[in-house]
């Protein structure tokens, strides 16, 4: 099994002067769900090279056993140092696609034409993909083959308005994930702030927040296993 994980290259938190990037738990937790199942993982980002880590995600209160495992894992760190450029990857080379979040994707992946095309190509090939937290925002320009918003009429989740309010960034982000999904005609599903919540809608799996990233990856693996069994 070959998994492509797409990480943000954006490191500025709007005009606050603070740094942002990817959220460590949202990379580490899914990474080990995939790795421990024997999958081969490729990390990609719009600019390639080492993507920016949201410094907040490595503060003591947000560390987990898996973030610590990632930091101590020389092979994982070496991969993170050399992410491949997003414009160089093709869906034909992978079985599935996973987007970790953090605030960074709201600025780059949400608008990145290569990212939009990549997601559309996976879906057109009948492959199942997953997004989590702010990377649900990367779906905002993704269309179905007949030109409709991908999320129209679909159940999705992502970082909620309430969660954004709690971290004090409602007026910093370029858009709110929940509002944007509703505007595009999605059925936005959510649980209490910071609760684990994963939804599946056909080929699309979404997780609400950092704690939902590992469970979203498990849901994705289960969907792929079911599909492989049906095809066998």
């Amino acid at each position: 099994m070959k998994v492509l994980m797409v990480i943000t290259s954006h490191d500025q938190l709007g005009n606050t002067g603070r740094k942002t990037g990817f959220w460590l738990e949202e990379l580490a937790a899914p990474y080990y769900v995939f790795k421990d199942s024997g999958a081969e993982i490729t990390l990609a980002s719009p600019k390639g090279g080492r993507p920016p880590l949201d410094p907040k995600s490595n503060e003591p209160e947000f560390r987990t056993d898996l973030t610590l495992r990632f930091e101590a894992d020389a092979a994982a760190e070496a991969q993170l140092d050399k992410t491949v450029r997003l414009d160089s990857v093709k869906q034909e080379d992978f079985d599935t696609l996973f987007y970790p979040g953090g605030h960074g994707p709201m600025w780059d992946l949400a608008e990145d034409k290569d990212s939009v095309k990549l997601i559309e190509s996976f879906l057109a090939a009948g492959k199942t993909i997953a997004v989590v937290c702010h990377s649900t925002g990367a779906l905002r320009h993704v269309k179905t083959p007949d030109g409709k918003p991908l999320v129209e009429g679909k159940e999705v989740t992502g970082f909620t308005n309430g969660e954004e309010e709690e971290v004090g960034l409602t007026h910093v982000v370029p858009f709110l994930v929940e509002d944007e999904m509703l505007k595009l005609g999605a059925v936005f599903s959510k649980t209490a702030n910071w609760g684990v919540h994963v939804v599946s809608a056909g080929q699309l799996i979404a997780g609400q927040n950092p704690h939902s990233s590992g469970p979203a990856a498990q849901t994705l693996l289960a969907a792929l296993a079911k599909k492989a069994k049906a095809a066998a």
Side-chain angles (χ1 to χ4, degrees):
M1 161 108 66
K2 293 187 175 181
V3 180
L4 176 62
M5 297 182 80
V6 176
I7 306 166
T8 182
S9 291
H10 183 86
D11 71 349
Q12 294 298 316
L13 190 60
N15 52 12
T16 62
R18 304 207 310 264
K19 290 289 189 197
T20 189
F22 70 91
W23 195 261
L24 187 53
E25 182 182 2
E26 295 179 42
L27 173 64
Y31 184 90
Y32 288 113
V33 169
F34 300 137
K35 188 167 184 172
D36 294 346
S37 76
E40 188 182 309
I41 303 162
T42 298
L43 304 179
S45 65
K47 293 180 182 171
R50 180 111 188 164
L53 171 70
D54 185 321
K56 202 166 175 57
S57 72
N58 206 12
E59 288 176 1
E61 64 189 290
F62 298 118
R63 288 188 188 134
T64 67
D65 290 348
L66 293 174
T67 67
L68 296 171
R69 180 180 169 190
F70 193 95
E71 288 196 301
D73 183 337
E77 284 288 339
Q79 263 193 294
L80 191 61
D81 255 346
K82 298 187 175 68
T83 66
V84 298
R85 279 179 62 104
L86 189 54
D87 59 10
S88 73
V89 294
K90 297 189 202 62
Q91 68 79 12
E92 294 85 353
D93 299 332
F94 302 95
D95 299 299
T96 190
L97 178 63
F98 190 99
Y99 274 60
H103 279 87
M106 301 284 284
W107 281 274
D108 63 352
L109 295 172
E111 305 303 327
D112 190 292
K113 289 183 172 57
D114 293 311
S115 173
V116 171
K117 278 199 304 224
L118 186 70
I119 294 171
E120 289 175 348
S121 67
F122 269 83
L123 296 169
K127 294 175 181 176
T128 305
I129 69 163
V131 294
V132 70
C133 200
H134 287 94
S135 70
T136 297
L139 303 175
R140 75 188 300 209
H141 297 303
V142 177
K143 302 270 197 289
T144 60
D146 55 5
K148 289 197 178 91
L150 169 70
V151 297
E152 192 180 300
K154 281 195 174 67
E155 189 181 9
V156 296
T157 190
F159 207 60
T160 66
N161 289 357
E163 288 167 330
E164 202 66 84
E165 202 169 303
E166 271 196 40
V167 297
L169 295 173
T170 302
H171 302 295
V172 172
V173 289
F175 60 94
L176 293 166
V177 173
E178 180 175 339
D179 285 356
E180 184 67 14
M181 292 300 112
L182 290 169
K183 196 171 96 190
L184 291 167
V187 177
F188 193 86
S189 169
K190 60 184 174 180
T191 189
N193 290 358
W194 318 112
V196 171
H197 187 53
V198 176
V199 296
S200 300
Q203 292 168 260
L204 178 64
I205 290 162
Q208 180 172 314
N209 48 33
H211 307 320
S212 307
S213 57
Q218 287 160 343
T219 303
L220 177 59
L221 278 188
L224 295 170
K226 193 173 165 189
K227 212 166 172 184
K229 206 170 169 186

